[in-house]
Amino acid sequence: MDLNNLAGFLAATFRMATPILLASLGGVFTARVGIINFALEGIMLVGAFMGVYGSYVTGNPWIGALMGSLGGLAVALILGYMSITVKADQVVAGTGINILSIGLTSYLLNVVFGIGAKPSAVAAFQEWAVPGLSNLPFVGPVLFRQIPLVYVALLLVPLTWYIIYKTPFGLSMRAIGEHPRAADSLGINVYRVRYLAVIISGILGGLGGAFLSIGQLSVFMEKLTSGRGYVAWSTVTVGKWNPLGIMGASFLFGAADALQLRLQTLGFKIPYQFFLMLPYILTILVLAGVVGRTVPPASMGKPYGKEGR
Amino acid sequence: MQLKLGKWEISIERKPKVSGLLAGILGPAAALVLAFIVASFIIALSGANPLLAYKYMLSGAFGSLRSFTETLVKATPLLLSGLGLTVAYRTGLISIGAEGQMIMGGLFATLAGIYMGWIPGPALILVVMLAGMVGGGLWGAIPGYLKARLGVSEVINTIMLNYIAIFLVSYLLDVPLREPPGYFPQTAQIARHAWLPYVLPGTRLHLGVLIAFASAFVVYFLLWRSPLGYQMRAVGYNREAARHSGMNVGKNMVLALSLSGAFAGLAGMVEIAGLHHRLLNGFSSEYGFDAMAVALLGKLHPGGVTIASIFFGALRVGANMMQRSVQVPASLVFVIQGLVILFVLMDELLRNYVIRIFAKPVLEEKSYGLK
């Protein structure tokens, strides 16, 4: 692989990693307050649909991205209600939300574009070359000729790190994740902080979904996310609930995705399906290798009620 | 809360302490009603009349012998994979892997049906059944083993294995197993005597329906009448307590996920041997995902799961009719399923708010009937 090829591969890695990075940064907020965000798949899917819809109606991908975030937010609110207020099993609730999202998006796709019709391509994000920097050799094409949302995602990594470790809100989140009752007795509103964390995860997950539909492609198809929400959630675990680790893990999966695309186009003898499997196999292997040695926030998956239900 | 509609009074009131069988029926029933109410708004969104849409859905699913048998045909894989998930969920394991296990069951069954055609008569059917169960069982054993040995959550692994199974079969159909001369991504037909016989002439209702109903009894006896089932439920009820009373928790978890996979694999087998008679991409029609809704709506009880599977089978058949007649997209089915799962999870809330509709004059007499 020569330098040009390598640069192309790395650039693709950034592009493929971004939706997972955005969604898993959202996931870290929910994880930190002890909520299993299985709904990320549905959040991303609705985000992807709303992204295309917003761009289709207005012709502006930015408005699409905004709509995508709002769609993700709406789905996240269902998760919040189910896991915080109803105190339901979070994995099952997330799965229900995902099935609902599959149904809703494919239903609305049929309603908007007609049953069985091919959805038309909408305005998608274009690459934006950072003036000056994009002309640097090697680094330029890899880092500085990307879709604007890639930069947004990369900037969100330190921001999320700062929020979690350096702000009172982050402290509240971590306290709730470890011991909701203790946090409550310190005067932290457990319900409110949990809802806020879920809302943030919805906005980021929706944005990640919109990136799939109007960043990487310019259409929406049924089940477009094909498990990337689940991959994003496992990325949160693999990255040990730390935004920096999560960025690393997202790039690992992005690289697997990019490799899969490259090898397909390079005409390798290995069947393309094996490369498509790569991110999923990688998830299993990495989880088996890493998770044994990590400890999730203690209240993970446990609803909190004042009466100690 | 009270609403007055003419001489009817609808009262929504808190009713603590509804339990037992009544609660097991009321919760899911309320969940269903709510799901259909919400879905009717979504139908209205597309400009159609919800009542008309539901009418076509109902007549499409139950309107004739043909449509009713189609409902049962669709209920069959749902029931089998729903039973599998019931075994896993009762052991405290949340498996999302029925889809992949069903696909692997279909793959193994097809291989047996093609390459073991020398086995005579109905014996071949048994071999094909066994192959399907082994295929699904192995696919379930992987996350079980990873959970028991390494403590990796089965949830994500079962999902990942779904995608791996889809791509694996897609590859196998692309090259090694493709039927010559190879115009379509499908295998050759399985041996004729491996086909499940039809039980009602003139319909597609095949023996798989009876296999599925029999499996419901098997699962009931397994879970509630066998020592193994007792252990699995004990592990599901309280993992630590089970460990302290000397049960091998890890072994039970591997076993439960393998069994769960075996039933899903059987679902794949009946689809191949009963309907398609060859392996195709997408033959599983995502029954494996619907099975989660089926298991939950059926309250993780074989009887409930049986009813729920027929209901969801009806939903699928009816939705096609609905799409043809009033142009409401059939994917509404998934909307209803997702809503059902969510509302079932809320059924503890719903159960406490029993919605009662009374004619005013009898209000006094009837009201203590439910207390």
Side-chain angles (χ1 to χ4, degrees):
Chain A
M1 199 183 269
D2 64 21
L3 219 55
N4 264 338
N5 254 330
L6 184 65
F9 169 68
L10 289 178
T13 299
F14 271 80
R15 202 169 54 245
M16 302 309 276
T18 297
I20 295 175
L21 178 58
L22 282 168
S24 51
L25 284 177
V28 76
F29 280 93
T30 36
R32 281 289 176 174
V33 296
I35 290 174
I36 300 175
N37 197 338
F38 247 67
L40 269 182
E41 177 76 4
I43 288 172
M44 284 184 89
L45 192 58
V46 170
F49 175 80
M50 291 302 285
V52 160
Y53 185 69
S55 182
Y56 168 73
V57 172
T58 64
N60 183 339
W62 285 101
I63 295 180
L66 181 70
M67 299 264 292
S69 291
L70 291 178
L73 167 66
V75 179
L77 280 177
I78 306 178
L79 174 75
Y81 181 72
M82 294 304 293
S83 54
I84 302 167
T85 306
V86 177
K87 303 179 176 61
D89 185 303
Q90 293 162 9
V91 172
V92 180
T95 309
I97 291 171
N98 296 340
I99 293 177
L100 179 66
S101 305
I102 289 176
L104 267 181
T105 51
S106 114
Y107 181 87
L108 292 174
L109 183 72
N110 280 320
V111 170
V112 174
F113 295 101
I115 292 176
K118 270 238 153 64
S120 39
V122 299
F125 279 102
Q126 301 300 318
E127 283 159 13
W128 179 63
V130 181
L133 293 173
S134 61
N135 293 326
L136 291 171
F138 193 71
V139 183
V142 172
L143 252 180
F144 299 110
R145 267 177 236 160
Q146 294 281 4
I147 297 159
L149 285 182
V150 175
Y151 308 124
V152 172
L154 290 175
L155 288 176
L156 278 170
V157 174
L159 182 66
T160 306
W161 184 89
Y162 183 80
I163 290 174
I164 291 176
Y165 293 105
K166 299 289 170 195
T167 64
F169 177 65
L171 185 63
S172 305
M173 287 203 307
R174 285 182 290 140
I176 290 169
E178 290 308 328
H179 203 312
R181 190 164 306 278
D184 195 354
S185 64
L186 288 174
I188 297 170
N189 187 332
V190 175
Y191 293 98
R192 197 172 67 197
V193 174
R194 279 195 163 166
Y195 262 109
L196 267 173
V198 167
I199 286 171
I200 296 172
S201 82
I203 292 172
L204 293 181
L207 197 60
F211 189 94
L212 284 175
S213 63
I214 51 176
Q216 293 179 355
L217 307 162
S218 56
V219 288
F220 180 83
M221 295 168 292
E222 276 183 37
K223 284 168 256 156
L224 178 83
T225 44
S226 60
R228 280 191 182 72
Y230 300 117
V231 170
W233 177 249
S234 39
T235 304
V236 176
T237 313
V238 172
K240 300 189 181 179
W241 303 277
N242 181 327
L244 301 173
I246 287 170
M247 181 169 73
S250 302
F251 277 105
L252 191 64
F253 291 115
D257 247 349
L259 186 68
Q260 172 256 114
L261 282 177
R262 297 251 115 192
L263 294 176
Q264 270 190 60
T265 48
L266 289 178
F268 267 71
K269 287 274 174 279
I270 308 170
Y272 73 93
Q273 286 97 342
F274 286 101
F275 296 115
L276 284 174
M277 282 181 209
L278 212 56
Y280 307 106
I281 295 178
L282 200 61
T283 305
I284 294 181
L285 291 180
V286 171
L287 279 178
V290 172
V291 164
R293 287 177 275 121
T294 58
V295 182
S299 73
M300 186 70 81
K302 296 184 189 113
Y304 176 68
K306 287 199 178 200
E307 303 84 21
R309 181 185 164 240
Chain B
M1 194 179 103
Q2 308 238 315
L3 275 173
K4 290 200 171 133
L5 282 173
K7 64 172 186 161
W8 298 89
E9 187 175 279
I10 301 171
S11 76
I12 301 174
E13 40 188 87
R14 213 177 152 79
K15 282 256 119 199
K17 285 272 161 216
V18 181
S19 58
L21 186 63
L22 186 64
I25 293 169
L26 273 181
L32 274 183
V33 171
L34 278 174
F36 274 96
I37 292 174
V38 175
S40 65
F41 287 106
I42 296 167
I43 295 175
L45 200 75
S46 76
N49 177 349
L51 285 179
L52 199 63
Y54 286 152
K55 197 192 110 190
Y56 279 111
M57 202 186 247
L58 197 67
S59 71
F62 297 109
S64 64
L65 179 70
R66 217 189 100 74
S67 56
F68 181 59
T69 53
E70 276 303 303
T71 291
L72 287 180
V73 168
K74 294 228 182 319
T76 300
L78 286 173
L79 174 51
L80 284 166
S81 38
L83 288 169
L85 291 180
T86 299
V87 174
Y89 293 170
R90 285 274 174 191
T91 317
L93 299 166
I94 297 187
S95 162
I96 319 234
E99 180 75 6
Q101 291 151 4
M102 191 177 159
I103 291 172
M104 294 307 283
L107 170 65
F108 274 53
T110 308
L111 292 176
I114 292 175
Y115 295 108
M116 301 177 90
W118 45 270
I119 295 174
L124 182 60
I125 291 184
L126 285 178
V127 170
V128 171
M129 265 175 79
L130 203 66
M133 294 180 81
V134 167
L138 283 177
W139 219 238
I142 299 171
Y145 179 81
L146 290 172
K147 169 93 178 177
R149 280 303 292 268
L150 299 171
V152 189
S153 159
E154 72 285 5
V155 185
I156 289 183
N157 282 339
T158 47
I159 295 170
M160 297 300 139
L161 284 166
N162 287 342
Y163 292 102
I164 295 172
I166 290 170
F167 291 126
L168 183 65
V169 164
S170 154
Y171 159 70
L172 291 175
L173 291 178
D174 242 9
V175 186
L177 292 181
R178 187 181 287 217
E179 171 192 40
Y183 298 125
F184 301 106
Q186 57 184 31
T187 64
Q189 284 196 339
I190 59 172
R192 192 66 196 232
H193 57 290
W195 295 20
L196 291 175
Y198 293 106
V199 291
L200 253 187
T203 70
R204 298 202 302 165
L205 196 67
H206 54 78
L207 192 67
V209 178
L210 302 181
I211 295 177
F213 286 143
S215 299
F217 281 98
V218 171
V219 168
Y220 175 78
F221 280 98
L222 174 80
L223 281 176
W224 279 278
R225 292 283 180 270
S226 78
L228 178 64
Y230 171 76
Q231 284 206 8
M232 292 200 299
R233 284 188 301 126
V235 169
Y237 194 68
N238 189 333
R239 205 169 284 167
E240 285 318 304
R243 201 189 308 276
H244 286 301
S245 57
M247 293 176 192
N248 187 339
V249 171
K251 197 185 90 183
N252 275 295
M253 291 196 298
V254 178
L255 209 59
L257 278 177
S258 309
L259 268 173
S260 174
F263 279 107
L266 196 54
M269 176 268 170
V270 297
E271 286 302 281
I272 299 291
L275 278 185
H276 305 298
H277 306 133
R278 61 172 81 218
L279 189 65
L280 328 145
N281 269 330
F283 80 93
S284 60
S285 318
E286 308 199 337
Y287 288 121
F289 291 117
D290 298 16
M292 288 184 293
V294 168
L296 289 173
L297 184 66
K299 293 254 114 189
L300 305 183
H301 188 284
V305 173
T306 305
I307 298 171
S309 67
I310 294 174
F311 172 75
F312 277 111
L315 211 54
R316 280 201 173 211
V317 179
N320 291 335
M321 174 76 148
M322 178 186 73
Q323 176 164 321
R324 278 195 305 272
S325 311
V326 276
Q327 274 74 51
V328 172
S331 39
L332 186 75
V333 172
F334 290 108
V335 175
I336 294 176
Q337 274 167 13
L339 289 171
V340 163
I341 294 182
L342 294 180
F343 286 129
V344 165
L345 288 177
M346 294 166 65
D347 83 342
E348 204 157 319
L349 282 182
L350 299 177
R351 212 188 302 155
N352 288 338
Y353 291 90
V354 178
I355 300 166
R356 298 185 298 172
I357 305 175
F358 294 120
K360 250 190 203 160
V362 283
L363 183 65
E364 295 300 312
E365 292 167 42
K366 278 268 175 80
S367 63
Y368 46 81
L370 271 169
K371 276 192 177 138

